[in-house]
Amino acid sequence: MEQAAEWDEKVKIVLAEVLQVAPAIITDNLAMQDVDAWDSLKHMELIVSLENTFGLQLSFDEIVNMQSVGNIKQVLEERRKAS
């Protein structure tokens, strides 16, 4: 099983690629409203990338709750522990 730190790093890489921002600005506090490019369409692109990267299918509730980096990590951590 992968360690949480590895998942965190993967999340940062996916966010940086999809949102086209520097990995250095991606902190747990970074939220949708903080990044102009992070609109609803980009959010779905991000979800698809996360699902492909982590090999999972996110529920509607999980997707809606993923409004910040911290929320994304929380949802993925819950999934990681459940697997």
Side-chain angles (χ1 to χ4, degrees):
M1 185 188 319
E2 290 183 90
Q3 298 298 318
E6 292 174 28
W7 279 50
D8 284 357
E9 189 58 30
K10 284 183 179 181
V11 168
K12 186 178 274 196
I13 291 166
V14 169
L15 280 160
E17 288 177 2
V18 172
L19 299 177
Q20 298 181 339
V21 296
I25 72 158
I26 299 173
T27 64
D28 286 358
N29 295 328
L30 187 70
M32 273 183 92
Q33 65 265 22
D34 301 327
V35 182
D36 289 339
W38 194 350
D39 57 14
S40 58
L41 188 60
K42 195 58 85 168
H43 188 67
M44 292 314 299
E45 186 180 331
L46 176 61
I47 296 303
V48 169
S49 293
L50 289 168
E51 288 178 333
N52 290 338
T53 299
F54 294 99
L56 45 82
Q57 185 76 37
L58 296 163
S59 72
F60 176 78
D61 288 340
E62 288 171 327
I63 292 168
V64 169
N65 286 328
M66 294 174 127
Q67 301 291 312
S68 71
V69 176
N71 294 139
I72 291 169
K73 288 180 178 180
Q74 182 180 4
V75 167
L76 293 174
E77 178 66 12
E78 289 169 6
R79 283 298 202 86
R80 187 181 69 81
K81 287 180 179 175
S83 64

Coordinates of all heavy atoms in Angstrom, one line a residue:
M1 N 0.8 -1.2 0.0 CA 0.0 0.0 0.0 C 0.9 1.2 0.0 O 1.9 1.3 0.7 CB -0.9 0.0 1.2 CG -1.9 1.2 1.2 SD -2.8 1.4 2.7 CE -3.3 -0.2 3.2
E2 N 0.5 2.2 -0.8 CA 1.3 3.5 -0.9 C 1.1 4.3 0.4 O 0.1 4.3 1.1 CB 0.8 4.3 -2.1 CG 1.1 3.7 -3.4 CD 0.7 4.6 -4.5 OE1 1.5 5.5 -4.9 OE2 -0.4 4.5 -5.0
Q3 N 2.2 5.0 0.7 CA 2.2 5.9 1.9 C 1.4 7.2 1.6 O 1.3 7.6 0.4 CB 3.6 6.2 2.3 CG 4.4 5.0 2.7 CD 3.8 4.3 3.9 OE1 3.4 4.9 4.8 NE2 3.8 3.0 3.9
A4 N 0.9 7.8 2.6 CA 0.1 9.1 2.4 C 1.0 10.1 1.7 O 0.5 10.9 0.9 CB -0.4 9.5 3.8
A5 N 2.3 10.2 2.1 CA 3.1 11.2 1.5 C 3.2 11.0 -0.1 O 3.3 12.0 -0.8 CB 4.5 11.1 2.1
E6 N 3.2 9.8 -0.5 CA 3.3 9.5 -2.0 C 2.0 10.0 -2.6 O 2.0 10.6 -3.7 CB 3.5 8.0 -2.2 CG 4.8 7.5 -1.8 CD 4.9 6.0 -2.0 OE1 4.2 5.4 -2.8 OE2 5.7 5.4 -1.2
W7 N 0.9 9.8 -2.0 CA -0.4 10.2 -2.5 C -0.4 11.8 -2.5 O -0.9 12.3 -3.5 CB -1.6 9.7 -1.7 CG -2.0 8.3 -2.0 CD1 -1.2 7.2 -2.1 CD2 -3.3 7.8 -2.3 NE1 -1.9 6.1 -2.5 CE2 -3.2 6.4 -2.6 CE3 -4.5 8.4 -2.4 CZ2 -4.3 5.6 -2.9 CZ3 -5.6 7.6 -2.7 CH2 -5.5 6.3 -3.0
D8 N 0.0 12.4 -1.5 CA 0.1 13.9 -1.4 C 0.9 14.4 -2.6 O 0.5 15.4 -3.2 CB 0.7 14.4 -0.1 CG -0.3 14.2 1.1 OD1 -1.5 13.8 0.9 OD2 0.1 14.6 2.2
E9 N 2.0 13.8 -2.9 CA 2.9 14.3 -4.0 C 2.2 14.1 -5.3 O 2.2 15.0 -6.2 CB 4.2 13.5 -3.9 CG 5.2 14.1 -4.9 CD 5.6 15.5 -4.7 OE1 5.5 16.0 -3.5 OE2 5.9 16.2 -5.6
K10 N 1.5 13.0 -5.5 CA 0.7 12.7 -6.7 C -0.4 13.8 -6.9 O -0.6 14.2 -8.0 CB 0.1 11.3 -6.7 CG 1.2 10.2 -7.0 CD 0.5 8.9 -7.1 CE 1.4 7.8 -7.4 NZ 0.7 6.5 -7.5
V11 N -1.1 14.1 -5.8 CA -2.1 15.1 -5.8 C -1.5 16.4 -6.3 O -2.1 17.1 -7.2 CB -2.8 15.3 -4.4 CG1 -3.7 16.5 -4.4 CG2 -3.6 14.0 -4.1
K12 N -0.4 16.8 -5.7 CA 0.3 18.1 -6.1 C 0.6 18.1 -7.6 O 0.4 19.1 -8.3 CB 1.5 18.3 -5.2 CG 2.2 19.6 -5.4 CD 3.4 19.8 -4.5 CE 3.0 20.3 -3.2 NZ 4.1 20.8 -2.4
I13 N 1.1 17.0 -8.1 CA 1.5 16.9 -9.5 C 0.3 17.0 -10.4 O 0.3 17.8 -11.4 CB 2.3 15.6 -9.8 CG1 3.7 15.6 -9.1 CG2 2.4 15.3 -11.2 CD1 4.4 14.3 -9.0
V14 N -0.8 16.3 -10.1 CA -2.0 16.4 -10.9 C -2.6 17.8 -10.9 O -2.9 18.3 -11.9 CB -3.0 15.4 -10.4 CG1 -4.4 15.6 -11.0 CG2 -2.6 13.9 -10.6
L15 N -2.6 18.4 -9.7 CA -3.2 19.8 -9.6 C -2.3 20.7 -10.4 O -2.8 21.6 -11.1 CB -3.2 20.2 -8.1 CG -4.4 19.7 -7.4 CD1 -4.2 19.8 -5.9 CD2 -5.7 20.5 -7.7
A16 N -1.0 20.6 -10.3 CA -0.1 21.6 -11.0 C -0.3 21.4 -12.5 O -0.4 22.4 -13.2 CB 1.3 21.3 -10.6
E17 N -0.4 20.2 -13.0 CA -0.6 19.9 -14.4 C -1.9 20.4 -14.9 O -2.0 21.1 -15.9 CB -0.4 18.4 -14.7 CG 1.0 17.9 -14.6 CD 1.1 16.4 -14.9 OE1 0.1 15.8 -15.1 OE2 2.2 15.9 -14.7
V18 N -3.0 20.0 -14.2 CA -4.4 20.4 -14.7 C -4.6 21.9 -14.6 O -5.1 22.5 -15.5 CB -5.4 19.6 -13.9 CG1 -6.8 20.1 -14.2 CG2 -5.3 18.1 -14.2
L19 N -4.2 22.5 -13.5 CA -4.5 23.9 -13.3 C -3.4 24.8 -13.9 O -3.5 26.0 -13.9 CB -4.6 24.2 -11.8 CG -5.7 23.5 -11.1 CD1 -5.7 23.8 -9.6 CD2 -7.1 23.8 -11.7
Q20 N -2.3 24.2 -14.3 CA -1.2 24.9 -14.9 C -0.6 26.0 -14.0 O -0.5 27.2 -14.3 CB -1.5 25.5 -16.3 CG -1.9 24.4 -17.3 CD -2.3 24.9 -18.6 OE1 -2.6 26.1 -18.8 NE2 -2.2 24.1 -19.6
V21 N -0.4 25.5 -12.7 CA 0.2 26.4 -11.7 C 1.5 25.7 -11.2 O 1.7 24.5 -11.4 CB -0.7 26.7 -10.5 CG1 -2.0 27.4 -11.0 CG2 -1.1 25.4 -9.8
A22 N 2.3 26.5 -10.5 CA 3.6 26.0 -9.9 C 3.2 25.1 -8.8 O 2.4 25.5 -7.9 CB 4.4 27.2 -9.5
P23 N 3.9 23.9 -8.7 CA 3.6 23.1 -7.5 C 3.9 23.7 -6.2 O 3.2 23.4 -5.2 CB 4.6 21.9 -7.8 CG 4.9 21.9 -9.2 CD 4.8 23.4 -9.6
A24 N 4.7 24.7 -6.1 CA 5.1 25.4 -4.9 C 3.9 26.1 -4.3 O 3.8 26.3 -3.1 CB 6.2 26.4 -5.1
I25 N 2.9 26.5 -5.1 CA 1.7 27.3 -4.5 C 0.6 26.3 -4.1 O -0.3 26.8 -3.5 CB 1.1 28.3 -5.5 CG1 0.4 27.6 -6.7 CG2 2.2 29.3 -6.0 CD1 -0.6 28.5 -7.3
I26 N 0.8 25.0 -4.3 CA -0.3 24.1 -3.9 C -0.1 23.6 -2.5 O 0.8 22.8 -2.1 CB -0.2 22.9 -4.9 CG1 -0.5 23.4 -6.3 CG2 -1.3 21.8 -4.4 CD1 -0.4 22.3 -7.4
T27 N -0.9 24.2 -1.6 CA -0.9 23.9 -0.2 C -2.3 23.4 0.1 O -3.2 23.6 -0.7 CB -0.6 25.2 0.6 OG1 -1.6 26.1 0.4 CG2 0.8 25.8 0.3
D28 N -2.5 22.9 1.3 CA -3.8 22.3 1.7 C -4.8 23.4 1.7 O -6.0 23.2 1.6 CB -3.7 21.7 3.1 CG -3.0 20.3 3.0 OD1 -2.6 19.9 1.9 OD2 -2.8 19.7 4.1
N29 N -4.4 24.7 1.9 CA -5.4 25.8 2.0 C -5.8 26.3 0.7 O -6.8 27.1 0.6 CB -4.8 27.0 2.8 CG -4.5 26.6 4.3 OD1 -5.3 25.8 4.9 ND2 -3.5 27.1 4.9
L30 N -5.1 25.9 -0.4 CA -5.5 26.4 -1.7 C -6.9 25.9 -2.1 O -7.1 24.7 -2.0 CB -4.5 26.0 -2.8 CG -4.6 26.5 -4.2 CD1 -4.3 28.0 -4.2 CD2 -3.8 25.8 -5.2
A31 N -7.8 26.8 -2.5 CA -9.2 26.4 -2.8 C -9.5 26.9 -4.2 O -8.8 27.7 -4.8 CB -10.1 27.0 -1.8
M32 N -10.7 26.4 -4.7 CA -11.2 26.7 -6.0 C -11.2 28.2 -6.3 O -10.7 28.7 -7.3 CB -12.6 26.2 -6.2 CG -12.6 24.8 -6.7 SD -14.3 24.2 -7.0 CE -14.5 24.7 -8.8
Q33 N -11.7 29.0 -5.3 CA -11.8 30.4 -5.5 C -10.5 31.1 -5.5 O -10.4 32.3 -5.9 CB -12.7 31.0 -4.4 CG -12.2 31.0 -3.0 CD -12.7 29.8 -2.2 OE1 -13.1 28.8 -2.8 NE2 -12.7 29.9 -0.9
D34 N -9.4 30.5 -5.2 CA -8.1 31.1 -5.2 C -7.4 31.0 -6.5 O -6.4 31.7 -6.8 CB -7.2 30.4 -4.1 CG -7.7 30.5 -2.7 OD1 -8.4 31.6 -2.4 OD2 -7.5 29.6 -1.9
V35 N -7.9 30.2 -7.4 CA -7.2 30.0 -8.7 C -8.2 30.3 -9.8 O -9.3 29.6 -10.0 CB -6.7 28.5 -8.8 CG1 -6.0 28.3 -10.2 CG2 -5.9 28.1 -7.7
D36 N -8.0 31.3 -10.6 CA -8.9 31.7 -11.7 C -9.2 30.6 -12.6 O -10.3 30.4 -13.1 CB -8.3 32.9 -12.5 CG -8.3 34.2 -11.7 OD1 -9.0 34.3 -10.7 OD2 -7.5 35.1 -12.0
A37 N -8.2 29.7 -12.9 CA -8.4 28.6 -13.9 C -9.2 27.5 -13.4 O -9.8 26.7 -14.1 CB -7.0 28.1 -14.3
W38 N -9.4 27.5 -12.0 CA -10.1 26.4 -11.4 C -11.6 26.6 -11.4 O -12.3 26.9 -10.4 CB -9.6 26.1 -10.0 CG -10.0 24.8 -9.3 CD1 -10.9 23.9 -9.8 CD2 -9.5 24.3 -8.1 NE1 -11.0 22.9 -8.9 CE2 -10.1 23.1 -7.9 CE3 -8.5 24.8 -7.2 CZ2 -9.8 22.3 -6.7 CZ3 -8.3 24.0 -6.1 CH2 -8.9 22.8 -5.8
D39 N -12.2 26.5 -12.6 CA -13.7 26.7 -12.7 C -14.3 25.3 -12.7 O -13.7 24.3 -12.5 CB -14.0 27.5 -14.0 CG -13.5 26.9 -15.2 OD1 -13.1 25.7 -15.2 OD2 -13.5 27.6 -16.3
S40 N -15.6 25.3 -13.0 CA -16.3 24.0 -12.9 C -15.9 23.0 -14.0 O -15.8 21.8 -13.7 CB -17.9 24.2 -13.0 OG -18.2 24.9 -14.2
L41 N -15.6 23.5 -15.1 CA -15.1 22.6 -16.2 C -13.7 22.1 -15.8 O -13.4 20.9 -16.0 CB -15.0 23.4 -17.5 CG -14.7 22.6 -18.8 CD1 -15.7 21.5 -19.0 CD2 -14.6 23.4 -20.0
K42 N -12.8 22.9 -15.3 CA -11.5 22.5 -14.9 C -11.6 21.5 -13.7 O -10.8 20.6 -13.6 CB -10.6 23.7 -14.6 CG -9.1 23.5 -14.5 CD -8.6 22.9 -15.8 CE -8.2 23.9 -16.8 NZ -7.4 23.4 -17.9
H43 N -12.6 21.8 -12.9 CA -12.8 20.9 -11.8 C -13.0 19.4 -12.2 O -12.5 18.5 -11.7 CB -13.9 21.4 -10.9 CG -14.0 20.7 -9.6 ND1 -13.1 20.7 -8.6 CD2 -15.0 19.8 -9.1 CE1 -13.5 20.0 -7.6 NE2 -14.6 19.4 -7.9
M44 N -13.9 19.3 -13.2 CA -14.2 18.0 -13.8 C -13.0 17.3 -14.4 O -12.7 16.1 -14.3 CB -15.4 18.0 -14.7 CG -16.7 18.4 -14.1 SD -17.0 17.5 -12.5 CE -17.0 15.8 -13.1
E45 N -12.2 18.1 -15.1 CA -10.9 17.7 -15.7 C -10.0 17.2 -14.6 O -9.3 16.1 -14.7 CB -10.2 18.8 -16.5 CG -9.0 18.3 -17.2 CD -8.4 19.5 -18.0 OE1 -9.1 20.4 -18.4 OE2 -7.2 19.5 -18.2
L46 N -10.0 17.9 -13.5 CA -9.1 17.5 -12.3 C -9.6 16.2 -11.7 O -8.8 15.3 -11.4 CB -9.2 18.6 -11.3 CG -8.5 18.4 -9.9 CD1 -7.0 18.2 -10.2 CD2 -8.7 19.6 -9.0
I47 N -11.0 16.1 -11.6 CA -11.5 14.8 -11.0 C -11.2 13.6 -11.9 O -10.7 12.6 -11.4 CB -13.1 15.0 -10.9 CG1 -13.5 16.0 -9.9 CG2 -13.7 13.6 -10.6 CD1 -12.9 15.9 -8.5
V48 N -11.3 13.8 -13.2 CA -10.9 12.7 -14.1 C -9.5 12.3 -14.0 O -9.1 11.1 -13.9 CB -11.3 13.1 -15.6 CG1 -10.7 12.0 -16.6 CG2 -12.8 13.2 -15.8
S49 N -8.6 13.3 -13.9 CA -7.2 13.1 -13.7 C -6.9 12.4 -12.4 O -6.1 11.4 -12.4 CB -6.4 14.4 -13.8 OG -6.4 14.9 -15.1
L50 N -7.5 12.8 -11.3 CA -7.4 12.1 -10.0 C -7.9 10.7 -10.1 O -7.2 9.8 -9.6 CB -8.1 12.9 -8.9 CG -7.5 14.3 -8.6 CD1 -8.4 15.1 -7.7 CD2 -6.1 14.1 -7.9
E51 N -9.0 10.5 -10.7 CA -9.5 9.1 -10.8 C -8.6 8.2 -11.6 O -8.3 7.1 -11.2 CB -10.9 9.1 -11.5 CG -12.0 9.7 -10.6 CD -13.4 9.7 -11.3 OE1 -13.4 9.8 -12.5 OE2 -14.4 9.7 -10.5
N52 N -8.1 8.7 -12.7 CA -7.1 7.9 -13.5 C -5.8 7.7 -12.7 O -5.3 6.6 -12.8 CB -6.8 8.6 -14.8 CG -8.0 8.6 -15.7 OD1 -8.9 7.8 -15.6 ND2 -8.1 9.6 -16.7
T53 N -5.3 8.7 -12.1 CA -4.0 8.6 -11.3 C -4.1 7.6 -10.2 O -3.2 6.8 -10.0 CB -3.6 10.0 -10.8 OG1 -3.4 10.8 -11.9 CG2 -2.3 9.8 -10.0
F54 N -5.3 7.6 -9.5 CA -5.4 6.8 -8.3 C -6.2 5.5 -8.5 O -6.4 4.7 -7.6 CB -6.0 7.6 -7.1 CG -5.1 8.7 -6.6 CD1 -5.2 10.0 -7.1 CD2 -4.0 8.3 -5.8 CE1 -4.3 11.0 -6.6 CE2 -3.1 9.3 -5.4 CZ -3.3 10.6 -5.8
G55 N -6.7 5.3 -9.7 CA -7.5 4.1 -10.1 C -8.7 4.0 -9.3 O -9.0 2.9 -8.8
L56 N -9.5 5.0 -9.2 CA -10.8 4.9 -8.4 C -11.9 5.7 -9.1 O -11.6 6.5 -10.0 CB -10.6 5.4 -7.0 CG -9.8 6.7 -6.7 CD1 -10.7 7.9 -6.9 CD2 -9.2 6.6 -5.3
Q57 N -13.1 5.5 -8.6 CA -14.3 6.2 -9.1 C -14.8 7.0 -8.0 O -15.2 6.4 -7.0 CB -15.3 5.2 -9.6 CG -16.5 5.8 -10.3 CD -16.2 6.3 -11.7 OE1 -15.4 5.7 -12.4 NE2 -16.8 7.4 -12.0
L58 N -14.8 8.3 -8.1 CA -15.3 9.2 -7.0 C -16.8 9.4 -7.1 O -17.4 9.4 -8.2 CB -14.6 10.6 -7.1 CG -13.1 10.5 -6.9 CD1 -12.5 11.8 -7.4 CD2 -12.8 10.3 -5.4
S59 N -17.5 9.4 -6.0 CA -18.9 9.6 -5.9 C -19.2 11.1 -6.1 O -18.4 12.0 -6.0 CB -19.5 9.2 -4.6 OG -19.1 10.1 -3.6
F60 N -20.5 11.4 -6.4 CA -20.9 12.8 -6.6 C -20.6 13.6 -5.4 O -20.1 14.7 -5.5 CB -22.4 12.8 -6.9 CG -23.0 14.2 -7.0 CD1 -22.8 15.0 -8.2 CD2 -23.7 14.8 -6.0 CE1 -23.3 16.3 -8.3 CE2 -24.2 16.1 -6.1 CZ -24.0 16.8 -7.2
D61 N -20.9 13.1 -4.2 CA -20.7 13.8 -2.9 C -19.2 14.1 -2.7 O -18.8 15.2 -2.3 CB -21.2 13.0 -1.7 CG -22.8 13.1 -1.7 OD1 -23.4 13.9 -2.3 OD2 -23.3 12.2 -1.0
E62 N -18.4 13.1 -3.1 CA -16.9 13.3 -2.9 C -16.5 14.5 -3.9 O -15.7 15.3 -3.5 CB -16.2 12.0 -3.2 CG -16.3 11.0 -2.2 CD -15.7 9.7 -2.5 OE1 -15.8 9.3 -3.7 OE2 -15.2 9.0 -1.6
I63 N -17.0 14.4 -5.1 CA -16.6 15.4 -6.1 C -17.0 16.8 -5.7 O -16.2 17.8 -5.7 CB -17.2 15.1 -7.5 CG1 -16.5 13.8 -8.0 CG2 -17.0 16.2 -8.5 CD1 -17.2 13.2 -9.2
V64 N -18.2 16.9 -5.2 CA -18.7 18.2 -4.7 C -17.9 18.7 -3.5 O -17.7 20.0 -3.4 CB -20.2 18.1 -4.3 CG1 -20.7 19.4 -3.6 CG2 -21.0 17.9 -5.6
N65 N -17.5 17.8 -2.6 CA -16.7 18.2 -1.5 C -15.3 18.6 -1.8 O -14.6 19.2 -0.9 CB -16.7 17.1 -0.4 CG -18.1 17.0 0.3 OD1 -18.8 18.0 0.4 ND2 -18.5 15.8 0.6
M66 N -14.8 18.3 -2.9 CA -13.4 18.6 -3.3 C -13.1 20.0 -3.7 O -12.8 20.3 -4.9 CB -12.9 17.6 -4.3 CG -12.9 16.1 -3.8 SD -12.5 15.0 -5.2 CE -11.1 14.1 -4.4
Q67 N -13.4 21.0 -2.8 CA -13.3 22.4 -3.2 C -12.0 23.0 -2.8 O -11.7 24.2 -3.2 CB -14.4 23.2 -2.4 CG -15.8 22.7 -2.7 CD -16.2 23.0 -4.2 OE1 -16.1 24.1 -4.6 NE2 -16.8 22.0 -4.9
S68 N -11.1 22.2 -2.2 CA -9.8 22.7 -1.8 C -8.8 21.6 -1.8 O -9.2 20.4 -1.9 CB -9.7 23.4 -0.4 OG -9.9 22.4 0.6
V69 N -7.5 21.9 -1.8 CA -6.5 20.8 -1.8 C -6.6 20.0 -0.6 O -6.6 18.8 -0.6 CB -5.1 21.5 -1.9 CG1 -4.0 20.4 -1.8 CG2 -4.9 22.2 -3.2
G70 N -6.9 20.6 0.6 CA -7.1 19.9 1.8 C -8.3 18.9 1.7 O -8.2 17.8 2.2
N71 N -9.4 19.4 1.1 CA -10.5 18.5 0.9 C -10.2 17.3 0.0 O -10.7 16.2 0.3 CB -11.7 19.3 0.4 CG -12.3 20.3 1.3 OD1 -12.6 21.4 0.9 ND2 -12.4 20.0 2.6
I72 N -9.5 17.6 -1.1 CA -9.1 16.6 -2.0 C -8.3 15.5 -1.3 O -8.6 14.3 -1.4 CB -8.3 17.2 -3.2 CG1 -9.3 18.0 -4.1 CG2 -7.7 16.0 -4.0 CD1 -8.6 18.8 -5.1
K73 N -7.3 15.9 -0.5 CA -6.5 15.0 0.2 C -7.3 14.2 1.2 O -7.0 13.0 1.4 CB -5.3 15.7 0.9 CG -4.3 16.2 -0.1 CD -3.2 17.0 0.7 CE -2.1 17.4 -0.3 NZ -1.0 18.1 0.5
Q74 N -8.2 14.9 1.9 CA -9.0 14.2 2.9 C -9.9 13.1 2.2 O -9.9 11.9 2.7 CB -10.0 15.2 3.6 CG -10.8 14.6 4.6 CD -11.7 15.7 5.3 OE1 -11.7 16.8 4.9 NE2 -12.4 15.2 6.3
V75 N -10.5 13.4 1.1 CA -11.3 12.4 0.4 C -10.4 11.2 0.0 O -10.8 10.0 0.1 CB -12.1 13.0 -0.8 CG1 -12.6 11.9 -1.7 CG2 -13.2 13.9 -0.3
L76 N -9.3 11.5 -0.6 CA -8.4 10.5 -1.1 C -7.8 9.6 0.0 O -7.6 8.4 -0.1 CB -7.3 11.1 -2.0 CG -7.7 11.7 -3.3 CD1 -6.6 12.4 -4.0 CD2 -8.4 10.6 -4.2
E77 N -7.5 10.3 1.2 CA -7.0 9.6 2.3 C -8.0 8.6 2.9 O -7.7 7.4 3.2 CB -6.6 10.6 3.4 CG -6.1 9.9 4.7 CD -4.7 9.2 4.5 OE1 -4.1 9.3 3.5 OE2 -4.4 8.4 5.4
E78 N -9.3 9.0 2.9 CA -10.4 8.1 3.3 C -10.5 6.9 2.4 O -10.6 5.8 2.8 CB -11.7 8.9 3.4 CG -11.8 9.8 4.5 CD -12.9 10.8 4.5 OE1 -13.8 10.6 3.6 OE2 -13.0 11.7 5.3
R79 N -10.3 7.2 1.1 CA -10.4 6.1 0.1 C -9.2 5.1 0.3 O -9.3 3.9 0.1 CB -10.4 6.6 -1.3 CG -11.7 7.2 -1.7 CD -12.8 6.0 -1.7 NE -13.9 6.3 -2.5 CZ -14.0 6.1 -3.8 NH1 -13.0 5.5 -4.5 NH2 -15.1 6.4 -4.5
R80 N -8.0 5.7 0.5 CA -6.8 5.0 0.7 C -6.9 4.0 1.9 O -6.5 2.8 1.8 CB -5.5 5.9 0.8 CG -4.2 5.2 0.8 CD -3.1 6.1 1.0 NE -3.0 6.7 2.3 CZ -2.5 6.0 3.4 NH1 -2.0 4.9 3.3 NH2 -2.5 6.6 4.6
K81 N -7.4 4.5 3.0 CA -7.5 3.7 4.2 C -8.6 2.6 4.0 O -8.5 1.5 4.6 CB -7.9 4.6 5.4 CG -6.8 5.5 5.9 CD -7.3 6.3 7.0 CE -6.1 7.2 7.5 NZ -6.6 8.1 8.6
A82 N -9.6 2.9 3.2 CA -10.6 1.9 2.9 C -10.2 0.8 2.0 O -10.8 -0.3 2.0 CB -11.9 2.6 2.3
S83 N -9.1 1.0 1.2 CA -8.7 0.0 0.3 C -7.8 -1.1 0.9 O -7.3 -1.0 1.9 CB -8.1 0.6 -0.9 OG -6.9 1.3 -0.6

